[in-house]
Amino acid sequence: MIATALDHFTAPPSSTLLGWRLLDARPEQGWVRIGFDGKAEFCNPAGFIQGGILSAMLDDTMGPAVFVMTEGRLYTATITMTVNFLAPAKPGPIFGEADVTQLGNTVAFVAGRLMAADGSALATATSSARLVETARAILRERRDVTAIGV
C-alpha cells in the first residue's frame, strides 16, 4: 500500500472502537478506502448496525480523505453531514470509500459511501468540513485534555 500521512497518526479511541484501518489511498486524488468491523454490539433490536454507528464510519472515512490529500497538513471538523441509508447493514466487515470533491481555503466538500463485504451499497453521505491546521488542532486537543485532567 502507498505511504500516507496517516502512517504516523494515532487513531482516536472512537476509530479504534469501529475497527478503523486504512486499506488503500490515492492522496493526489483525495481518495481513501477504509475498513471497519461491523460488530454485533453495534446492532439495533432488529439485528442491523445502528444508523449512528454507520454515520460515524462515514465521518471516519471522509475526514481522512482530506487529511491524506493535504499530506497531513489539514484536519477536518465536520460542519454538515447528510447520510442516506440504502440497505440494512449486517454484522461483519464494512468498507468505506471517500472522495474529496472540492478543497477550498477554509472548507472541504467530501462524498463518502459504505459497502458490505459483497460490495453492496449500505449508505452514502456528503459532508462539508472546516479545515484546521493539524498542528493547531492537536495542540488544542492536548490543552483540552490537560484542562479536564485526563
Side-chain angles (χ1 to χ4, degrees):
M1 183 173 61
I2 190 167
T4 72
L6 288 167
D7 295 344
H8 306 289
F9 189 80
T10 302
S14 59
S15 298
T16 302
L17 177 68
L18 297 173
W20 186 101
R21 60 202 173 280
L22 180 66
L23 300 175
D24 198 2
R26 292 183 214 123
E28 67 286 347
Q29 296 173 12
W31 176 86
V32 294
R33 181 172 172 83
I34 308 291
F36 296 98
D37 298 329
K39 300 174 186 176
E41 295 85 358
F42 297 160
C43 288
N44 61 25
F48 300 111
I49 306 294
Q50 198 268 345
I53 298 290
L54 296 173
S55 296
M57 290 176 180
L58 283 161
D59 200 32
D60 259 6
T61 301
M62 293 186 289
V66 173
F67 192 80
V68 300
M69 185 179 204
T70 64
E71 298 175 344
R73 290 186 314 272
L74 297 174
Y75 184 82
T76 57
T78 303
I79 299 169
T80 64
M81 185 170 73
T82 301
V83 179
N84 302 293
F85 299 102
L86 307 175
K90 298 175 184 171
I94 295 176
F95 302 95
E97 292 182 357
D99 296 286
V100 177
T101 55
Q102 185 172 347
L103 184 65
N105 292 325
T106 59
V107 176
F109 297 90
V110 188
R113 62 208 146 276
L114 290 179
M115 287 107 15
D118 66 3
S120 61
L122 300 173
T124 61
T126 55
S127 175
S128 60
R130 184 171 158 255
L131 299 172
V132 180
E133 291 178 29
T134 300
R136 179 181 286 171
I138 291 172
L139 180 61
R140 183 180 310 133
E141 178 183 317
R142 286 185 186 143
R143 279 195 312 247
D144 291 349
V145 167
T146 302
I148 61 173
V150 175

